[in-house]
Amino acid sequence: MSIQQLFAPIAADMQAVDAVIRQRLHSDVVLVRQVAEYIIHSGGKRLRPALLLLTAGAMGYRGTHHHELAAVVEFIHTATLLHDDVVDESELRRGNKTANAMFGNAASVLVGDFLYSRAFQMMVGVGSMRVMQVLADATNIIAEGEVLQLLNCHDADVGIEGYLRVIRYKTAKLFEAATRLGGILGGAAPDLEERLAAFGMHLGTAFQIIDDVLDYSSDEAATGKHLGDDLAEGKPTLPLIHVMQQGSAEQAALVRKAIETGGRDDFEAVLAAIQATGALEASRRHARAEAQRAVDALDALPSSIFKDALLQLSDFAVTRDH
């Protein structure tokens, strides 16, 4: 099932969110508009806004604040991408040049700051201290995750727990915030709110693990990024950790050297070690376990087309090829 089919129950809401995004991107500073519009309209899945909308729908919410907050979540995500690509010196995302490649690092960082601050203006407009607390906490933890990932680069001693901690902070936290906010808008009881947040956290973790698998297994045209980018940046992701823990001494030494030095010189040899040790399938199993935890967290949610879409997203997260 395609992502568009999964979003069918919220198609009208997604259009409303796009309208909010276009309206709120306005700035009298031309370069701000150019960079922000370039990154926002460059082919993202809009997964995090959709999660908020689907969760709010599953809770029976019928107001309009979910459109504003879904746009807030997308702005925060986009700001992290802008800063991420500068830190990683990335040149390609979703098959397009990154904003930093197009406009330069300074513009990307500053427009990322604009998106963060615009997001906070918008969340204040919702008039809920609880909503502001969730988003402020999430944004702070995401920033910590970025720093953790920076510290982990070229560190071949990072284990599975250290790897997962970065994912929980850097990627899964915004998924978690999106589903928690849907629950808050829908008046979820505290226990159900925590279950919805857990769904987002486990889904986001599964999603990122598969992203890391695809860095060694995908079609570049499908993912819109260069294969081996993670290795070039010295990122110790789960496939590499598996080789170091389960491979031969020679394979482990090869991967250790590749992580510590970065670059793509050893990419083919590392890829052969990943394939020989079954690292990709082992990583996929880990992702499937996270997705199952996400599914289990929705047990208490009443049946609806929105819940069905959330469950199908759990499957999509681990079966996708891009």
Side-chain angles (χ1 to χ4, degrees), residues 26 28 33 65 80 167 195 216 237 240-241 256 260 289:
H26 176 75
D28 292 333
R33 284 203 308 275
H65 284 321
T80 67
I167 289 180
R195 284 175 172 270
Y216 295 98
T237 57
L240 300 182
I241 293 169
R256 173 174 287 275
E260 290 175 348

Side-chain angles (χ1 to χ4, degrees), residues 81-102:
L81 295 186
L82 283 165
H83 290 167
D84 235 9
D85 286 340
V86 170
V87 171
D88 295 342
E89 300 178 7
S90 300
E91 296 182 357
L92 198 66
R93 181 180 288 278
R94 301 165 185 155
N96 300 312
K97 283 187 175 182
T98 54
N100 49 299
M102 284 284 290

Side-chain angles (χ1 to χ4, degrees), residues 31 86 100 103-113:
L31 184 59
V86 170
N100 49 299
F103 303 99
N105 287 341
S108 290
V109 170
L110 295 172
V111 173
D113 293 344

Side-chain angles (χ1 to χ4, degrees), residues 262-296:
R264 287 190 174 81
D265 292 347
D266 295 322
F267 180 70
E268 294 302 327
V270 168
L271 190 58
I274 285 172
Q275 291 167 343
T277 58
L280 296 181
E281 181 50 37
S283 300
R284 288 185 183 279
R285 283 198 300 272
H286 201 122
R288 287 194 291 268
E290 289 288 343
Q292 186 57 51
R293 292 187 187 102
V295 168
D296 293 344

Side-chain angles (χ1 to χ4, degrees), residues 36-242:
E37 287 177 7
Y38 178 81
I39 187 69
I40 284 284
H41 299 299
S42 61
K45 297 181 181 72
R46 294 279 204 275
L47 188 54
R48 294 151 190 83
L51 283 170
L52 191 154
L53 297 174
L54 286 169
T55 310
M59 290 300 303
Y61 179 71
R62 294 294 177 264
T64 58
H65 284 321
H66 58 330
H67 298 150
E68 197 83 359
L69 289 180
V72 166
V73 167
E74 186 68 1
F75 281 180
I76 291 171
H77 173 56
T78 304
T80 67
L81 295 186
L82 283 165
H83 290 167
D84 235 9
D85 286 340
V86 170
V87 171
D88 295 342
E89 300 178 7
S90 300
E91 296 182 357
L92 198 66
R93 181 180 288 278
R94 301 165 185 155
N96 300 312
K97 283 187 175 182
T98 54
N100 49 299
M102 284 284 290
F103 303 99
N105 287 341
S108 290
V109 170
L110 295 172
V111 173
D113 293 344
F114 167 81
L115 288 171
Y116 273 131
S117 55
R118 179 54 51 88
F120 276 81
Q121 286 179 325
M122 292 164 66
M123 71 178 79
V124 167
V126 173
S128 166
M129 187 60 71
R130 181 84 177 98
V131 163
M132 287 193 288
Q133 178 190 6
V134 169
L135 285 166
D137 289 350
T139 305
N140 191 250
I141 288 170
I142 291 164
E144 289 183 322
E146 296 281 5
V147 177
L148 272 176
Q149 184 176 67
L150 186 65
L151 291 174
N152 284 359
C153 279
H154 303 294
D155 183 356
D157 292 319
V158 172
I160 292 177
E161 284 309 309
Y163 163 78
L164 288 175
R165 185 184 180 204
V166 169
I167 289 180
R168 304 268 197 238
Y169 281 35
K170 182 176 177 289
T171 302
K173 194 65 187 179
L174 195 54
F175 281 72
E176 177 187 328
T179 51
R180 185 186 292 277
L181 288 171
I184 290 170
L185 288 176
D191 179 63
L192 183 53
E193 181 191 315
E194 290 304 320
R195 284 175 172 270
L196 293 172
F199 170 82
M201 185 267 288
H202 289 300
L203 180 70
T205 303
F207 197 88
Q208 183 59 53
I209 292 172
I210 294 299
D211 260 9
D212 294 342
V213 166
L214 292 175
D215 199 55
Y216 295 98
S217 64
S218 65
D219 176 356
E220 288 193 8
T223 59
K225 62 177 284 191
H226 296 304
L227 280 186
D229 276 355
D230 289 347
L231 187 68
E233 294 158 17
K235 291 180 181 176
T237 57
L238 192 54
L240 300 182
I241 293 169
H242 178 86

